[in-house]
Amino acid sequence: MTLKASNEKERNSTSLEFSGDRQICIRRRFNAPAHIVFRTWVEPQFVRQWWAPKSQQVEMVVCRASVQVGGTFRYVIRDMAGQEFAFSGVYHEIVPSKRLVYTQCFEPMSEEGKVEITVSFFEHAGCTDVESVETYASKEALQAALSAGLEHGMRDSLQQLEELLAHSLLS
Amino acid sequence: MFELFMALAEPNRLQIVELLVNEPCTVLDIADRLSLRQTQTSKHLRVLREAGLVSVEVAGQHRRYSLEPKRLKELDNWLVKYRRLWDDRFEQFDRVIADINHQENQNDSKSKQRKREK
């Protein structure tokens, strides 16, 4: 098995892309084979180590998952002010090391409906490219999620705007 | 923040913003460059103004529209924050997989060693 050194300084970049008016796609390469990346993505013992970014001063207080078709998960994070936010959902499709389909509901905004998330894992040369596509119930649901600002995505047009901003008047 | 997203969610309005990045424009300039009707352009500009994204300046007979960089900066901050959430998560993810890799490699070499010993 060829693996890149774990202490490699270079950090893989995260890409966000918007397709249509209710979809967001997050892409990232990981320096490990798919079976490891897949387990890290779903198994609670690992999820609790990465899902709440310490640098943003949130901690994970609940991380439960029954990783099987029809099984449920519930993640709860707590911010510095002690406020808790829960995410929960159901697994619809599980193909180990390849594909994961689940729904996710951000409980404070449950009236906006569920987000369907399809995560694909592509392994090559000891690395794994992960693509997570989030599909919102409606354009409005995506926009509401945007304004909540915690977790969710943007339209493709905003992606263009971001690039524009990066190159122009804000420098 | 919500009205900002709503304002930019419409493709013509985003195009107007892109146009204004380069220089302030009148309604006529914008309508002309984007092949929109003038009334339609005015409506879009009103939404952008209400969202605080553009300001208007009266120059003689013309009203010139320009971008409000402060408001755009807010949006930029938000996007930076959003990307950072995932980036920070994945940085922790990297550490978790590095640990697992390390353990697997150790197990591999132990079992090879055991085989050799047999």
Side-chain angles (χ1 to χ4, degrees), chain A residues 14 16 28 36 50-52 54-55 143 146 149 151-152 154-155 157, chain B residues 5-6 9 14 75 78-79 82-83 85 87-89 92-94 97 101:
Chain A
T14 305
L16 292 187
R28 173 71 144 74
I36 290 179
W50 67 269
W51 208 73
K54 288 193 192 76
S55 55
Q143 281 165 352
L146 289 182
E151 257 291 314
H152 303 284
M154 295 260 117
R155 285 174 52 97
S157 55
Chain B
F5 289 120
M6 291 298 282
L14 185 71
L75 179 70
W78 193 91
L79 286 166
Y82 178 66
R83 187 184 295 274
L85 168 73
D87 221 32
D88 287 356
R89 261 183 188 163
Q92 295 186 156
F93 196 107
D94 281 340
I97 55 177
N101 264 335

PDB file of all heavy atoms in Angstrom, chain A residues 14 16 28 36 50-52 54-55 143 146 149 151-152 154-155 157, chain B residues 5-6 9 14 75 78-79 82-83 85 87-89 92-94 97 101:
ATOM      1  N   THR A  14     -10.021  22.562   0.047  1.00  0.00           N
ATOM      2  CA  THR A  14     -11.436  22.219   0.040  1.00  0.00           C
ATOM      3  C   THR A  14     -12.117  23.051  -1.047  1.00  0.00           C
ATOM      4  O   THR A  14     -11.919  24.258  -1.103  1.00  0.00           O
ATOM      5  CB  THR A  14     -12.059  22.580   1.401  1.00  0.00           C
ATOM      6  OG1 THR A  14     -11.316  21.928   2.427  1.00  0.00           O
ATOM      7  CG2 THR A  14     -13.521  22.164   1.478  1.00  0.00           C
ATOM      8  N   LEU A  16     -15.731  24.303  -2.823  1.00  0.00           N
ATOM      9  CA  LEU A  16     -17.183  24.422  -2.713  1.00  0.00           C
ATOM     10  C   LEU A  16     -17.701  24.837  -4.073  1.00  0.00           C
ATOM     11  O   LEU A  16     -17.169  25.754  -4.681  1.00  0.00           O
ATOM     12  CB  LEU A  16     -17.570  25.525  -1.738  1.00  0.00           C
ATOM     13  CG  LEU A  16     -17.287  25.379  -0.271  1.00  0.00           C
ATOM     14  CD1 LEU A  16     -17.928  26.536   0.478  1.00  0.00           C
ATOM     15  CD2 LEU A  16     -17.854  24.086   0.235  1.00  0.00           C
ATOM     16  N   ARG A  28     -12.901  17.322  -1.606  1.00  0.00           N
ATOM     17  CA  ARG A  28     -11.637  17.372  -0.873  1.00  0.00           C
ATOM     18  C   ARG A  28     -10.890  16.072  -1.125  1.00  0.00           C
ATOM     19  O   ARG A  28     -11.497  15.020  -1.235  1.00  0.00           O
ATOM     20  CB  ARG A  28     -11.946  17.552   0.620  1.00  0.00           C
ATOM     21  CG  ARG A  28     -10.767  17.458   1.590  1.00  0.00           C
ATOM     22  CD  ARG A  28      -9.848  18.655   1.472  1.00  0.00           C
ATOM     23  NE  ARG A  28      -9.284  19.073   2.741  1.00  0.00           N
ATOM     24  CZ  ARG A  28      -8.323  18.450   3.405  1.00  0.00           C
ATOM     25  NH1 ARG A  28      -7.826  17.331   2.951  1.00  0.00           N
ATOM     26  NH2 ARG A  28      -7.867  18.954   4.546  1.00  0.00           N
ATOM     27  N   ILE A  36     -10.445   3.660   4.691  1.00  0.00           N
ATOM     28  CA  ILE A  36     -10.176   4.456   5.898  1.00  0.00           C
ATOM     29  C   ILE A  36     -10.992   5.756   5.892  1.00  0.00           C
ATOM     30  O   ILE A  36     -11.615   6.135   6.886  1.00  0.00           O
ATOM     31  CB  ILE A  36      -8.669   4.765   6.019  1.00  0.00           C
ATOM     32  CG1 ILE A  36      -7.914   3.474   6.349  1.00  0.00           C
ATOM     33  CG2 ILE A  36      -8.404   5.832   7.087  1.00  0.00           C
ATOM     34  CD1 ILE A  36      -6.410   3.637   6.469  1.00  0.00           C
ATOM     35  N   TRP A  50     -13.634  14.831  14.424  1.00  0.00           N
ATOM     36  CA  TRP A  50     -13.394  15.844  13.388  1.00  0.00           C
ATOM     37  C   TRP A  50     -14.577  16.746  13.052  1.00  0.00           C
ATOM     38  O   TRP A  50     -14.395  17.840  12.520  1.00  0.00           O
ATOM     39  CB  TRP A  50     -12.889  15.176  12.091  1.00  0.00           C
ATOM     40  CG  TRP A  50     -13.870  14.289  11.366  1.00  0.00           C
ATOM     41  CD1 TRP A  50     -14.023  12.943  11.549  1.00  0.00           C
ATOM     42  CD2 TRP A  50     -14.795  14.662  10.338  1.00  0.00           C
ATOM     43  NE1 TRP A  50     -14.989  12.461  10.713  1.00  0.00           N
ATOM     44  CE2 TRP A  50     -15.477  13.498   9.960  1.00  0.00           C
ATOM     45  CE3 TRP A  50     -15.130  15.871   9.710  1.00  0.00           C
ATOM     46  CZ2 TRP A  50     -16.479  13.492   8.973  1.00  0.00           C
ATOM     47  CZ3 TRP A  50     -16.118  15.863   8.735  1.00  0.00           C
ATOM     48  CH2 TRP A  50     -16.776  14.686   8.382  1.00  0.00           C
ATOM     49  N   TRP A  51     -15.781  16.319  13.369  1.00  0.00           N
ATOM     50  CA  TRP A  51     -16.940  17.037  12.826  1.00  0.00           C
ATOM     51  C   TRP A  51     -17.141  18.439  13.412  1.00  0.00           C
ATOM     52  O   TRP A  51     -17.618  19.341  12.744  1.00  0.00           O
ATOM     53  CB  TRP A  51     -18.197  16.184  13.009  1.00  0.00           C
ATOM     54  CG  TRP A  51     -19.232  16.471  11.975  1.00  0.00           C
ATOM     55  CD1 TRP A  51     -19.197  16.120  10.661  1.00  0.00           C
ATOM     56  CD2 TRP A  51     -20.448  17.181  12.167  1.00  0.00           C
ATOM     57  NE1 TRP A  51     -20.323  16.566  10.020  1.00  0.00           N
ATOM     58  CE2 TRP A  51     -21.101  17.217  10.910  1.00  0.00           C
ATOM     59  CE3 TRP A  51     -21.049  17.795  13.268  1.00  0.00           C
ATOM     60  CZ2 TRP A  51     -22.336  17.834  10.726  1.00  0.00           C
ATOM     61  CZ3 TRP A  51     -22.280  18.407  13.088  1.00  0.00           C
ATOM     62  CH2 TRP A  51     -22.912  18.417  11.838  1.00  0.00           C
ATOM     63  N   ALA A  52     -16.771  18.618  14.662  1.00  0.00           N
ATOM     64  CA  ALA A  52     -16.877  19.951  15.274  1.00  0.00           C
ATOM     65  C   ALA A  52     -15.485  20.571  15.303  1.00  0.00           C
ATOM     66  O   ALA A  52     -14.618  20.086  16.019  1.00  0.00           O
ATOM     67  CB  ALA A  52     -17.432  19.824  16.685  1.00  0.00           C
ATOM     68  N   LYS A  54     -12.474  22.421  16.391  1.00  0.00           N
ATOM     69  CA  LYS A  54     -12.008  23.052  17.639  1.00  0.00           C
ATOM     70  C   LYS A  54     -11.632  24.502  17.420  1.00  0.00           C
ATOM     71  O   LYS A  54     -11.863  25.350  18.259  1.00  0.00           O
ATOM     72  CB  LYS A  54     -10.790  22.295  18.170  1.00  0.00           C
ATOM     73  CG  LYS A  54     -11.131  20.941  18.746  1.00  0.00           C
ATOM     74  CD  LYS A  54      -9.942  20.393  19.544  1.00  0.00           C
ATOM     75  CE  LYS A  54     -10.137  18.919  19.881  1.00  0.00           C
ATOM     76  NZ  LYS A  54      -9.893  18.053  18.698  1.00  0.00           N
ATOM     77  N   SER A  55     -11.048  24.766  16.242  1.00  0.00           N
ATOM     78  CA  SER A  55     -10.610  26.131  15.952  1.00  0.00           C
ATOM     79  C   SER A  55     -11.784  27.101  15.960  1.00  0.00           C
ATOM     80  O   SER A  55     -11.612  28.296  16.073  1.00  0.00           O
ATOM     81  CB  SER A  55      -9.915  26.165  14.605  1.00  0.00           C
ATOM     82  OG  SER A  55     -10.783  25.622  13.634  1.00  0.00           O
ATOM     83  N   GLN A 143     -31.801  28.826   0.699  1.00  0.00           N
ATOM     84  CA  GLN A 143     -31.562  30.217   1.072  1.00  0.00           C
ATOM     85  C   GLN A 143     -31.723  30.442   2.571  1.00  0.00           C
ATOM     86  O   GLN A 143     -30.972  31.211   3.165  1.00  0.00           O
ATOM     87  CB  GLN A 143     -32.454  31.142   0.249  1.00  0.00           C
ATOM     88  CG  GLN A 143     -31.849  31.325  -1.136  1.00  0.00           C
ATOM     89  CD  GLN A 143     -32.792  31.909  -2.143  1.00  0.00           C
ATOM     90  OE1 GLN A 143     -33.970  32.073  -1.881  1.00  0.00           O
ATOM     91  NE2 GLN A 143     -32.274  32.221  -3.313  1.00  0.00           N
ATOM     92  N   LEU A 146     -28.682  29.232   4.135  1.00  0.00           N
ATOM     93  CA  LEU A 146     -27.615  30.202   3.908  1.00  0.00           C
ATOM     94  C   LEU A 146     -27.673  31.302   4.931  1.00  0.00           C
ATOM     95  O   LEU A 146     -26.669  31.671   5.534  1.00  0.00           O
ATOM     96  CB  LEU A 146     -27.785  30.876   2.539  1.00  0.00           C
ATOM     97  CG  LEU A 146     -27.517  30.038   1.322  1.00  0.00           C
ATOM     98  CD1 LEU A 146     -27.689  30.909   0.097  1.00  0.00           C
ATOM     99  CD2 LEU A 146     -26.135  29.481   1.391  1.00  0.00           C
ATOM    100  N   GLY A 149     -26.473  30.500   8.138  1.00  0.00           N
ATOM    101  CA  GLY A 149     -25.030  30.688   8.126  1.00  0.00           C
ATOM    102  C   GLY A 149     -24.199  29.622   8.807  1.00  0.00           C
ATOM    103  O   GLY A 149     -23.004  29.747   8.908  1.00  0.00           O
ATOM    104  N   GLU A 151     -24.093  25.989   8.317  1.00  0.00           N
ATOM    105  CA  GLU A 151     -23.660  24.737   7.734  1.00  0.00           C
ATOM    106  C   GLU A 151     -23.728  24.679   6.218  1.00  0.00           C
ATOM    107  O   GLU A 151     -23.181  23.797   5.614  1.00  0.00           O
ATOM    108  CB  GLU A 151     -24.645  23.654   8.209  1.00  0.00           C
ATOM    109  CG  GLU A 151     -24.112  22.801   9.288  1.00  0.00           C
ATOM    110  CD  GLU A 151     -23.020  21.925   8.757  1.00  0.00           C
ATOM    111  OE1 GLU A 151     -23.164  21.312   7.702  1.00  0.00           O
ATOM    112  OE2 GLU A 151     -21.981  21.907   9.406  1.00  0.00           O
ATOM    113  N   HIS A 152     -24.464  25.551   5.651  1.00  0.00           N
ATOM    114  CA  HIS A 152     -24.940  25.181   4.334  1.00  0.00           C
ATOM    115  C   HIS A 152     -24.475  26.068   3.198  1.00  0.00           C
ATOM    116  O   HIS A 152     -23.707  27.002   3.381  1.00  0.00           O
ATOM    117  CB  HIS A 152     -26.457  25.047   4.378  1.00  0.00           C
ATOM    118  CG  HIS A 152     -26.894  24.053   5.414  1.00  0.00           C
ATOM    119  ND1 HIS A 152     -26.791  22.711   5.240  1.00  0.00           N
ATOM    120  CD2 HIS A 152     -27.355  24.228   6.672  1.00  0.00           C
ATOM    121  CE1 HIS A 152     -27.207  22.089   6.345  1.00  0.00           C
ATOM    122  NE2 HIS A 152     -27.553  22.996   7.232  1.00  0.00           N
ATOM    123  N   MET A 154     -24.545  27.599  -1.089  1.00  0.00           N
ATOM    124  CA  MET A 154     -24.714  28.786  -1.922  1.00  0.00           C
ATOM    125  C   MET A 154     -25.124  28.390  -3.333  1.00  0.00           C
ATOM    126  O   MET A 154     -24.866  27.298  -3.770  1.00  0.00           O
ATOM    127  CB  MET A 154     -23.346  29.415  -2.150  1.00  0.00           C
ATOM    128  CG  MET A 154     -22.638  29.964  -1.007  1.00  0.00           C
ATOM    129  SD  MET A 154     -22.887  31.693  -1.039  1.00  0.00           S
ATOM    130  CE  MET A 154     -23.720  31.830   0.442  1.00  0.00           C
ATOM    131  N   ARG A 155     -25.614  29.337  -4.024  1.00  0.00           N
ATOM    132  CA  ARG A 155     -25.896  29.109  -5.450  1.00  0.00           C
ATOM    133  C   ARG A 155     -24.611  29.210  -6.273  1.00  0.00           C
ATOM    134  O   ARG A 155     -23.668  29.848  -5.869  1.00  0.00           O
ATOM    135  CB  ARG A 155     -26.812  30.198  -5.971  1.00  0.00           C
ATOM    136  CG  ARG A 155     -28.228  30.092  -5.550  1.00  0.00           C
ATOM    137  CD  ARG A 155     -28.926  31.326  -6.051  1.00  0.00           C
ATOM    138  NE  ARG A 155     -28.692  31.515  -7.481  1.00  0.00           N
ATOM    139  CZ  ARG A 155     -29.527  31.126  -8.419  1.00  0.00           C
ATOM    140  NH1 ARG A 155     -30.636  30.533  -8.095  1.00  0.00           N
ATOM    141  NH2 ARG A 155     -29.260  31.352  -9.681  1.00  0.00           N
ATOM    142  N   SER A 157     -24.134  31.018  -8.764  1.00  0.00           N
ATOM    143  CA  SER A 157     -23.847  32.412  -9.090  1.00  0.00           C
ATOM    144  C   SER A 157     -23.041  33.092  -7.979  1.00  0.00           C
ATOM    145  O   SER A 157     -22.209  33.942  -8.238  1.00  0.00           O
ATOM    146  CB  SER A 157     -25.139  33.173  -9.324  1.00  0.00           C
ATOM    147  OG  SER A 157     -25.980  33.038  -8.221  1.00  0.00           O
TER     148      SER A 157
ATOM    149  N   PHE B   5     -28.560  37.623   0.230  1.00  0.00           N
ATOM    150  CA  PHE B   5     -28.572  36.412  -0.594  1.00  0.00           C
ATOM    151  C   PHE B   5     -29.724  36.441  -1.589  1.00  0.00           C
ATOM    152  O   PHE B   5     -29.577  36.064  -2.747  1.00  0.00           O
ATOM    153  CB  PHE B   5     -28.674  35.155   0.278  1.00  0.00           C
ATOM    154  CG  PHE B   5     -27.418  34.884   1.040  1.00  0.00           C
ATOM    155  CD1 PHE B   5     -27.430  34.841   2.414  1.00  0.00           C
ATOM    156  CD2 PHE B   5     -26.218  34.692   0.370  1.00  0.00           C
ATOM    157  CE1 PHE B   5     -26.266  34.608   3.121  1.00  0.00           C
ATOM    158  CE2 PHE B   5     -25.051  34.456   1.067  1.00  0.00           C
ATOM    159  CZ  PHE B   5     -25.075  34.413   2.443  1.00  0.00           C
ATOM    160  N   MET B   6     -30.875  36.899  -1.092  1.00  0.00           N
ATOM    161  CA  MET B   6     -32.046  36.954  -1.977  1.00  0.00           C
ATOM    162  C   MET B   6     -31.764  37.903  -3.136  1.00  0.00           C
ATOM    163  O   MET B   6     -32.117  37.640  -4.276  1.00  0.00           O
ATOM    164  CB  MET B   6     -33.277  37.439  -1.202  1.00  0.00           C
ATOM    165  CG  MET B   6     -33.786  36.449  -0.186  1.00  0.00           C
ATOM    166  SD  MET B   6     -34.311  34.903  -0.940  1.00  0.00           S
ATOM    167  CE  MET B   6     -35.922  35.417  -1.574  1.00  0.00           C
ATOM    168  N   ALA B   9     -29.448  36.205  -5.556  1.00  0.00           N
ATOM    169  CA  ALA B   9     -29.855  34.896  -6.070  1.00  0.00           C
ATOM    170  C   ALA B   9     -30.410  35.004  -7.489  1.00  0.00           C
ATOM    171  O   ALA B   9     -30.501  34.021  -8.203  1.00  0.00           O
ATOM    172  CB  ALA B   9     -30.891  34.264  -5.151  1.00  0.00           C
ATOM    173  N   LEU B  14     -27.164  39.559 -10.276  1.00  0.00           N
ATOM    174  CA  LEU B  14     -25.750  39.240 -10.091  1.00  0.00           C
ATOM    175  C   LEU B  14     -24.933  39.854 -11.228  1.00  0.00           C
ATOM    176  O   LEU B  14     -23.848  40.393 -11.017  1.00  0.00           O
ATOM    177  CB  LEU B  14     -25.541  37.724 -10.036  1.00  0.00           C
ATOM    178  CG  LEU B  14     -24.096  37.331  -9.710  1.00  0.00           C
ATOM    179  CD1 LEU B  14     -23.763  37.632  -8.259  1.00  0.00           C
ATOM    180  CD2 LEU B  14     -23.829  35.877 -10.014  1.00  0.00           C
ATOM    181  N   LEU B  75     -20.536  39.892   2.833  1.00  0.00           N
ATOM    182  CA  LEU B  75     -20.813  38.637   2.145  1.00  0.00           C
ATOM    183  C   LEU B  75     -19.542  37.821   2.031  1.00  0.00           C
ATOM    184  O   LEU B  75     -19.527  36.618   2.276  1.00  0.00           O
ATOM    185  CB  LEU B  75     -21.381  38.935   0.753  1.00  0.00           C
ATOM    186  CG  LEU B  75     -21.709  37.718  -0.093  1.00  0.00           C
ATOM    187  CD1 LEU B  75     -22.906  36.984   0.477  1.00  0.00           C
ATOM    188  CD2 LEU B  75     -21.985  38.122  -1.525  1.00  0.00           C
ATOM    189  N   TRP B  78     -18.687  36.176   5.156  1.00  0.00           N
ATOM    190  CA  TRP B  78     -19.535  35.015   5.398  1.00  0.00           C
ATOM    191  C   TRP B  78     -19.030  33.802   4.626  1.00  0.00           C
ATOM    192  O   TRP B  78     -18.940  32.706   5.151  1.00  0.00           O
ATOM    193  CB  TRP B  78     -20.974  35.347   4.992  1.00  0.00           C
ATOM    194  CG  TRP B  78     -21.905  34.314   5.497  1.00  0.00           C
ATOM    195  CD1 TRP B  78     -22.568  34.326   6.685  1.00  0.00           C
ATOM    196  CD2 TRP B  78     -22.240  33.092   4.857  1.00  0.00           C
ATOM    197  NE1 TRP B  78     -23.283  33.176   6.817  1.00  0.00           N
ATOM    198  CE2 TRP B  78     -23.107  32.408   5.715  1.00  0.00           C
ATOM    199  CE3 TRP B  78     -21.889  32.513   3.642  1.00  0.00           C
ATOM    200  CZ2 TRP B  78     -23.634  31.166   5.387  1.00  0.00           C
ATOM    201  CZ3 TRP B  78     -22.408  31.275   3.317  1.00  0.00           C
ATOM    202  CH2 TRP B  78     -23.270  30.620   4.189  1.00  0.00           C
ATOM    203  N   LEU B  79     -18.686  34.034   3.371  1.00  0.00           N
ATOM    204  CA  LEU B  79     -18.191  32.932   2.541  1.00  0.00           C
ATOM    205  C   LEU B  79     -16.884  32.363   3.079  1.00  0.00           C
ATOM    206  O   LEU B  79     -16.690  31.158   3.118  1.00  0.00           O
ATOM    207  CB  LEU B  79     -17.975  33.412   1.100  1.00  0.00           C
ATOM    208  CG  LEU B  79     -19.238  33.621   0.294  1.00  0.00           C
ATOM    209  CD1 LEU B  79     -18.933  34.411  -0.970  1.00  0.00           C
ATOM    210  CD2 LEU B  79     -19.856  32.282  -0.062  1.00  0.00           C
ATOM    211  N   TYR B  82     -17.713  30.215   5.989  1.00  0.00           N
ATOM    212  CA  TYR B  82     -18.334  28.950   5.585  1.00  0.00           C
ATOM    213  C   TYR B  82     -17.307  27.959   5.062  1.00  0.00           C
ATOM    214  O   TYR B  82     -17.293  26.797   5.435  1.00  0.00           O
ATOM    215  CB  TYR B  82     -19.392  29.220   4.514  1.00  0.00           C
ATOM    216  CG  TYR B  82     -20.020  27.964   4.021  1.00  0.00           C
ATOM    217  CD1 TYR B  82     -20.795  27.196   4.878  1.00  0.00           C
ATOM    218  CD2 TYR B  82     -19.808  27.513   2.729  1.00  0.00           C
ATOM    219  CE1 TYR B  82     -21.362  26.021   4.453  1.00  0.00           C
ATOM    220  CE2 TYR B  82     -20.366  26.333   2.295  1.00  0.00           C
ATOM    221  CZ  TYR B  82     -21.146  25.591   3.150  1.00  0.00           C
ATOM    222  OH  TYR B  82     -21.671  24.429   2.722  1.00  0.00           O
ATOM    223  N   ARG B  83     -16.433  28.457   4.197  1.00  0.00           N
ATOM    224  CA  ARG B  83     -15.391  27.585   3.672  1.00  0.00           C
ATOM    225  C   ARG B  83     -14.479  27.109   4.804  1.00  0.00           C
ATOM    226  O   ARG B  83     -14.030  25.983   4.822  1.00  0.00           O
ATOM    227  CB  ARG B  83     -14.583  28.320   2.606  1.00  0.00           C
ATOM    228  CG  ARG B  83     -13.590  27.429   1.886  1.00  0.00           C
ATOM    229  CD  ARG B  83     -12.758  28.236   0.930  1.00  0.00           C
ATOM    230  NE  ARG B  83     -13.553  28.804  -0.137  1.00  0.00           N
ATOM    231  CZ  ARG B  83     -13.847  28.160  -1.262  1.00  0.00           C
ATOM    232  NH1 ARG B  83     -13.407  26.940  -1.443  1.00  0.00           N
ATOM    233  NH2 ARG B  83     -14.577  28.728  -2.182  1.00  0.00           N
ATOM    234  N   LEU B  85     -15.233  26.547   7.891  1.00  0.00           N
ATOM    235  CA  LEU B  85     -15.855  25.480   8.682  1.00  0.00           C
ATOM    236  C   LEU B  85     -15.448  24.118   8.124  1.00  0.00           C
ATOM    237  O   LEU B  85     -14.967  23.253   8.841  1.00  0.00           O
ATOM    238  CB  LEU B  85     -17.389  25.617   8.658  1.00  0.00           C
ATOM    239  CG  LEU B  85     -18.156  24.398   9.194  1.00  0.00           C
ATOM    240  CD1 LEU B  85     -18.035  24.293  10.705  1.00  0.00           C
ATOM    241  CD2 LEU B  85     -19.616  24.437   8.788  1.00  0.00           C
ATOM    242  N   ASP B  87     -13.051  23.469   5.934  1.00  0.00           N
ATOM    243  CA  ASP B  87     -11.606  23.333   5.896  1.00  0.00           C
ATOM    244  C   ASP B  87     -11.063  22.898   7.255  1.00  0.00           C
ATOM    245  O   ASP B  87     -10.204  22.035   7.343  1.00  0.00           O
ATOM    246  CB  ASP B  87     -11.019  24.691   5.489  1.00  0.00           C
ATOM    247  CG  ASP B  87      -9.874  24.516   4.525  1.00  0.00           C
ATOM    248  OD1 ASP B  87      -9.910  23.545   3.742  1.00  0.00           O
ATOM    249  OD2 ASP B  87      -8.957  25.342   4.562  1.00  0.00           O
ATOM    250  N   ASP B  88     -11.598  23.498   8.318  1.00  0.00           N
ATOM    251  CA  ASP B  88     -11.153  23.155   9.664  1.00  0.00           C
ATOM    252  C   ASP B  88     -11.573  21.729  10.025  1.00  0.00           C
ATOM    253  O   ASP B  88     -10.821  20.987  10.649  1.00  0.00           O
ATOM    254  CB  ASP B  88     -11.744  24.134  10.689  1.00  0.00           C
ATOM    255  CG  ASP B  88     -11.070  25.495  10.603  1.00  0.00           C
ATOM    256  OD1 ASP B  88     -10.116  25.628   9.812  1.00  0.00           O
ATOM    257  OD2 ASP B  88     -11.503  26.423  11.302  1.00  0.00           O
ATOM    258  N   ARG B  89     -12.787  21.379   9.625  1.00  0.00           N
ATOM    259  CA  ARG B  89     -13.231  20.012   9.850  1.00  0.00           C
ATOM    260  C   ARG B  89     -12.275  19.031   9.191  1.00  0.00           C
ATOM    261  O   ARG B  89     -11.839  18.057   9.787  1.00  0.00           O
ATOM    262  CB  ARG B  89     -14.584  19.821   9.167  1.00  0.00           C
ATOM    263  CG  ARG B  89     -15.709  19.939  10.089  1.00  0.00           C
ATOM    264  CD  ARG B  89     -16.987  19.659   9.350  1.00  0.00           C
ATOM    265  NE  ARG B  89     -18.066  19.984  10.249  1.00  0.00           N
ATOM    266  CZ  ARG B  89     -19.296  20.178   9.877  1.00  0.00           C
ATOM    267  NH1 ARG B  89     -19.621  20.072   8.604  1.00  0.00           N
ATOM    268  NH2 ARG B  89     -20.221  20.466  10.752  1.00  0.00           N
ATOM    269  N   GLN B  92      -8.979  18.385  10.809  1.00  0.00           N
ATOM    270  CA  GLN B  92      -9.078  17.406  11.892  1.00  0.00           C
ATOM    271  C   GLN B  92      -9.229  15.997  11.321  1.00  0.00           C
ATOM    272  O   GLN B  92      -8.691  15.032  11.851  1.00  0.00           O
ATOM    273  CB  GLN B  92     -10.252  17.748  12.816  1.00  0.00           C
ATOM    274  CG  GLN B  92     -10.040  19.069  13.536  1.00  0.00           C
ATOM    275  CD  GLN B  92     -11.101  19.389  14.576  1.00  0.00           C
ATOM    276  OE1 GLN B  92     -10.846  20.145  15.495  1.00  0.00           O
ATOM    277  NE2 GLN B  92     -12.291  18.835  14.445  1.00  0.00           N
ATOM    278  N   PHE B  93      -9.982  15.918  10.227  1.00  0.00           N
ATOM    279  CA  PHE B  93     -10.185  14.645   9.529  1.00  0.00           C
ATOM    280  C   PHE B  93      -8.827  14.067   9.119  1.00  0.00           C
ATOM    281  O   PHE B  93      -8.555  12.882   9.308  1.00  0.00           O
ATOM    282  CB  PHE B  93     -11.061  14.906   8.293  1.00  0.00           C
ATOM    283  CG  PHE B  93     -11.683  13.683   7.674  1.00  0.00           C
ATOM    284  CD1 PHE B  93     -13.047  13.439   7.817  1.00  0.00           C
ATOM    285  CD2 PHE B  93     -10.933  12.807   6.902  1.00  0.00           C
ATOM    286  CE1 PHE B  93     -13.633  12.333   7.215  1.00  0.00           C
ATOM    287  CE2 PHE B  93     -11.523  11.709   6.301  1.00  0.00           C
ATOM    288  CZ  PHE B  93     -12.875  11.460   6.458  1.00  0.00           C
ATOM    289  N   ASP B  94      -7.974  14.926   8.555  1.00  0.00           N
ATOM    290  CA  ASP B  94      -6.631  14.502   8.143  1.00  0.00           C
ATOM    291  C   ASP B  94      -5.871  13.859   9.302  1.00  0.00           C
ATOM    292  O   ASP B  94      -5.180  12.865   9.126  1.00  0.00           O
ATOM    293  CB  ASP B  94      -5.809  15.705   7.643  1.00  0.00           C
ATOM    294  CG  ASP B  94      -6.171  16.098   6.212  1.00  0.00           C
ATOM    295  OD1 ASP B  94      -6.739  15.259   5.486  1.00  0.00           O
ATOM    296  OD2 ASP B  94      -5.881  17.248   5.831  1.00  0.00           O
ATOM    297  N   ILE B  97      -7.292  10.334  10.039  1.00  0.00           N
ATOM    298  CA  ILE B  97      -6.870   9.291   9.095  1.00  0.00           C
ATOM    299  C   ILE B  97      -5.367   9.018   9.198  1.00  0.00           C
ATOM    300  O   ILE B  97      -4.930   7.889   9.005  1.00  0.00           O
ATOM    301  CB  ILE B  97      -7.284   9.570   7.627  1.00  0.00           C
ATOM    302  CG1 ILE B  97      -6.786  10.915   7.140  1.00  0.00           C
ATOM    303  CG2 ILE B  97      -8.775   9.439   7.434  1.00  0.00           C
ATOM    304  CD1 ILE B  97      -7.125  11.187   5.683  1.00  0.00           C
ATOM    305  N   ASN B 101      -4.020   5.328   9.633  1.00  0.00           N
ATOM    306  CA  ASN B 101      -2.983   4.854   8.715  1.00  0.00           C
ATOM    307  C   ASN B 101      -1.796   4.309   9.483  1.00  0.00           C
ATOM    308  O   ASN B 101      -1.277   3.239   9.199  1.00  0.00           O
ATOM    309  CB  ASN B 101      -2.471   6.018   7.846  1.00  0.00           C
ATOM    310  CG  ASN B 101      -3.169   6.081   6.502  1.00  0.00           C
ATOM    311  OD1 ASN B 101      -3.671   5.069   6.018  1.00  0.00           O
ATOM    312  ND2 ASN B 101      -3.198   7.255   5.918  1.00  0.00           N
TER     313      ASN B 101
END
